[in-house]
Amino acid sequence: MSQHALSTQPAKGRVLPLPPGPKGHFILGVMREFNRDTLGFIERCREFGDVVRTRFLYVHAYFLYNPDDIETLLTTNARIFRKAGSLRSPFFARLVGNGLVTSEGDFWRRQRRLAQPAFHRQRISSYGDVMVEYAIRQMSKWQSDQVLDVSREMNRLTLEIVVKTLFNADVSKDADHIGAVLSEVVKPFASQATLKWIADNRLPTPGHRRYFNLVSEIDRIVFRIIAERRASQADEGDLLSMLLEAQDEDGSHMTDSQLRDEVMTLFLAGHETTALALSWSWYLLATHPEAEQKFHEELETVLQGRPPKVEDLQRLTYTERIAKEALRLYPPAYAVGREALEDTEIGGFRVPKGSQVFAFQWVTQRDARYFENPDAFDPDRWLPERSERLPKYAYFPFGGGPRQCIGNYFAMMEIVLLLATIGQRFKFSLEPGHRVEVLPVLSLRPKNGIKVRAEVRYG
Ligand code: HEM
């Protein structure tokens, strides 16, 4: 437990105060301010203190800005919290069901235990060649001087990779389709639309019908992958095989619909986040020529013109620092949320049972108390001597504690390998006149994509 958390234990019988925070409208609470400018709002709330209390309609929300309190939430006291209520919306549930991201308690523990071996470092390392091969295949479609939406390209690439590596299936012919469907699917979660979406909750509007139809379409693809594997009975040694073979103590196997939930969860959790980390990395490199130059120098020195391999990762240290810095400035998961299962205290304040508690990577990872010149893109801040004194939860792009991202090593390896493979051959410059804006939906996306001009470096 952190010092901070220890020092704020309440004396027996003492009633702790509720934290300060913006009150907002008497019915809506802060819904409008939040929907109008989500990132600005969560930044401004920090002015109230390290623990802030606010309200969305009838839901009380607590925002945590201090790394020690975030540690209390995600690690020290993790057992008295479950995932935030927003993850239990019927729309999200229809998409990911009871998969690893959303499940709770013993069911989650069992699924995590079953899935964990597929994410061990050694197994993941065997996927490195596929990552590089798929990147080379994708690049073969690009011409010099071509204008690309690099975020779309990265999305497609990471989708193909997650499907190939975890389910040993090739979906290149379906990838555009799945990509389009998944991006439609998250649209209703755009913060601007939240209120309308809650209000419309039970009405069969055309938007809802369209959403449910789209999810059914992805279902068909996923069930097809499962059926093909069941029919072939092949042990591909991938996650799907492991989940198919996994048995309960009573000898029962997972049903198709349980498998479908896990597959859908990994589709969603495993590709867009990584694609975003890559897209923001390219954006940052395109706008920081000095860092780009150092990046190219490292690629030349370490790789000398050949494609990267997993064994090169330990020498691609600057590339790794670029990835870490991109995840700091543009964390694809910009918030984590929990619901208190009992009355508790955080940072000296009372947090009643049922409260929704959030920590924001977007805000804390740009906090000047922990990061010098916090808005600057400075990959070298991740040199060991410059980062060793950072509080553990000042930087948490993959969350933390028992619910920490199961794919964090997979993601870091993929980001570094793809940056190296693509950066060897191409450099990107931003298209003049194209404004890159952040859109906090389920993840932190570029609102209108990232339009770049691709330039062949050599070859
Ligand atoms: C840059 C890429 C990624 C980022 C930023 C990211 C971020 C996160 C975060 C913050 C969480 C914790 C959420 C919470 O505590 O509420 C999480 C959980 C999760 N992530 Fe990732 N993730 C990434 C890549 C991946 C990949 C590649 C996979 C799988 C192939 C994956 C699968 C999952 C799963 C299954 C969970 C739920 C784990 C559990 O609760 O047991 N993620 N991710």
Side-chain angles (χ1 to χ4, degrees), residues 83 100-101 108 112 119 162 166 265-266 269-270 273-274 277 327 332-333 336-338 361 396-399 402-407 410-411 415:
K83 291 283 177 114
L100 267 180
V101 169
W108 164 77
R112 176 100 189 189
F119 288 93
V162 85
L166 300 178
T265 296
L266 292 166
T273 41
T274 314
L327 285 168
V336 284
R338 296 288 186 268
Q361 288 92 336
F396 54 110
F398 295 105
R403 305 296 304 243
Q404 183 175 39
C405 179
I406 202 171
F410 184 106
I415 298 166

Side-chain angles (χ1 to χ4, degrees), residues 20-36:
K23 299 274 174 282
H25 183 268
F26 75 109
I27 294 174
L28 297 175
V30 295
M31 200 77 153
R32 277 193 301 216
E33 294 88 321
F34 179 81
N35 283 345
R36 203 177 301 135

Side-chain angles (χ1 to χ4, degrees), residues 275-454:
L276 286 169
L278 282 158
S279 307
W280 291 118
S281 300
W282 293 125
Y283 166 71
L284 288 162
L285 286 168
T287 47
H288 295 83
E290 260 176 52
E292 190 186 47
Q293 171 81 24
K294 275 183 87 171
F295 167 56
H296 290 156
E297 278 164 17
E298 175 170 279
L299 299 183
E300 260 117 70
T301 315
V302 175
L303 303 172
Q304 303 185 346
R306 60 171 174 79
K309 292 191 150 303
V310 171
E311 297 74 53
D312 296 316
L313 286 174
Q314 52 186 348
R315 293 180 61 215
L316 291 169
T317 50
Y318 190 70
T319 312
E320 188 187 359
R321 292 201 290 279
I322 292 170
K324 287 186 83 169
E325 184 68 341
L327 285 168
R328 181 182 74 83
L329 286 171
Y330 295 99
Y334 62 94
V336 284
R338 296 288 186 268
E339 178 177 312
L341 293 168
E342 51 187 72
D343 291 348
T344 185
E345 79 68 37
I346 302 181
F349 292 105
R350 180 154 49 100
V351 176
K353 176 179 173 179
S355 307
Q356 306 295 314
V357 188
F358 295 92
F360 303 109
Q361 288 92 336
W362 172 265
V363 185
T364 302
Q365 293 181 178
R366 287 175 181 249
D367 190 325
R369 291 179 291 182
Y370 315 114
F371 297 96
E372 201 186 318
N373 205 357
D375 293 332
F377 176 60
D378 175 12
D380 281 339
R381 73 169 79 239
W382 294 107
L383 283 168
E385 61 275 21
R386 284 183 60 194
S387 56
E388 65 195 1
R389 279 206 300 278
L390 202 63
K392 187 162 172 221
Y393 281 88
Y395 179 74
F396 54 110
F398 295 105
R403 305 296 304 243
Q404 183 175 39
C405 179
I406 202 171
N408 60 353
Y409 182 70
F410 184 106
M412 282 309 288
M413 177 174 123
E414 183 173 4
I415 298 166
V416 175
L417 282 179
L418 297 194
L419 283 176
T421 311
I422 296 169
Q424 250 188 324
R425 191 151 162 71
F426 281 95
K427 86 190 271 307
F428 302 114
S429 45
L430 277 190
E431 263 300 88
H434 171 66
R435 244 181 76 201
V436 175
E437 282 175 70
V438 283
L439 176 72
V441 200
L442 268 183
S443 47
L444 201 68
R445 297 172 154 199
K447 189 172 175 189
N448 306 304
I450 301 180
K451 294 231 166 58
V452 296
R453 192 167 289 271

Side-chain angles (χ1 to χ4, degrees), residues 7-285:
S7 64
T8 54
Q9 285 299 313
K12 241 196 162 84
R14 203 180 106 217
V15 178
L16 289 166
L18 290 169
K23 299 274 174 282
H25 183 268
F26 75 109
I27 294 174
L28 297 175
V30 295
M31 200 77 153
R32 277 193 301 216
E33 294 88 321
F34 179 81
N35 283 345
R36 203 177 301 135
D37 172 20
T38 303
L39 299 177
F41 178 76
I42 59 179
E43 276 164 24
R44 287 191 297 277
C45 277
R46 194 182 45 192
E47 287 159 21
F48 286 91
D50 272 343
V51 184
V52 174
R53 178 176 190 262
T54 190
R55 179 176 61 80
F56 296 83
L57 288 170
Y58 49 86
V59 179
H60 286 284
Y62 291 68
F63 296 168
L64 309 181
Y65 295 103
N66 183 306
D68 289 342
D69 295 333
I70 299 170
E71 182 167 12
T72 304
L73 178 75
L74 297 181
T75 305
T76 327
N77 276 350
R79 74 194 152 73
I80 60 159
F81 293 96
R82 63 171 173 174
K83 291 283 177 114
S86 48
L87 277 188
R88 292 194 299 278
S89 92
F91 304 100
F92 200 60
R94 173 66 186 87
L95 187 61
V96 295
N98 211 16
L100 267 180
V101 169
T102 40
S103 56
E104 300 281 354
D106 289 344
F107 185 81
W108 164 77
R109 246 182 300 282
R110 185 189 76 135
Q111 296 295 95
R112 176 100 189 189
R113 219 177 26 242
L114 294 177
Q116 197 72 58
F119 288 93
H120 280 161
R121 210 168 260 255
Q122 233 174 341
R123 176 169 290 276
I124 295 295
S125 299
S126 68
Y127 300 149
D129 290 346
V130 170
M131 292 171 174
V132 171
E133 182 196 322
Y134 273 50
I136 292 173
R137 190 171 83 178
Q138 179 95 347
M139 279 192 300
S140 69
K141 297 172 199 146
W142 304 340
Q143 327 264 314
S144 201
D145 233 21
Q146 184 180 353
V147 176
L148 301 168
D149 176 354
V150 81
S151 61
R152 203 173 152 202
E153 298 294 318
M154 294 301 113
N155 227 15
R156 185 188 163 116
L157 180 54
T158 57
L159 177 67
E160 288 183 12
I161 290 172
V162 85
V163 174
K164 177 69 183 169
T165 51
L166 300 178
F167 316 113
N168 202 16
D170 194 327
V171 289
S172 41
K173 62 178 186 308
D174 295 319
D176 266 347
H177 189 59
I178 301 179
V181 170
L182 285 180
S183 60
E184 274 299 315
V185 154
V186 295
K187 263 190 198 157
F189 295 99
S191 52
Q192 285 78 0
T194 339
L195 184 55
K196 188 172 175 311
W197 199 246
I198 291 176
D200 287 352
N201 209 335
R202 284 175 223 294
L203 306 173
T205 62
H208 290 150
R209 269 201 301 277
R210 182 168 158 68
Y211 172 80
F212 288 115
N213 287 341
L214 285 170
V215 179
S216 304
E217 237 174 280
I218 317 188
D219 270 354
R220 275 194 288 279
I221 298 169
V222 172
F223 281 126
R224 191 194 73 211
I225 296 176
I226 295 171
E228 281 169 6
R229 182 65 60 82
R230 280 209 200 277
S232 77
Q233 295 200 324
D235 176 5
E236 305 279 358
D238 58 10
L239 182 73
L240 186 57
S241 295
M242 288 196 190
L243 295 179
L244 269 165
E245 283 159 25
Q247 281 187 10
D248 261 350
E249 276 135 30
D250 63 3
S252 63
H253 290 270
M254 255 188 246
T255 62
D256 275 6
S257 87
Q258 278 172 313
L259 278 166
R260 173 259 176 226
D261 288 353
E262 295 303 357
V263 168
M264 201 69 119
T265 296
L266 292 166
F267 258 180
L268 200 68
H271 93 283
E272 210 216 348
T273 41
T274 314
L276 286 169
L278 282 158
S279 307
W280 291 118
S281 300
W282 293 125
Y283 166 71
L284 288 162
L285 286 168

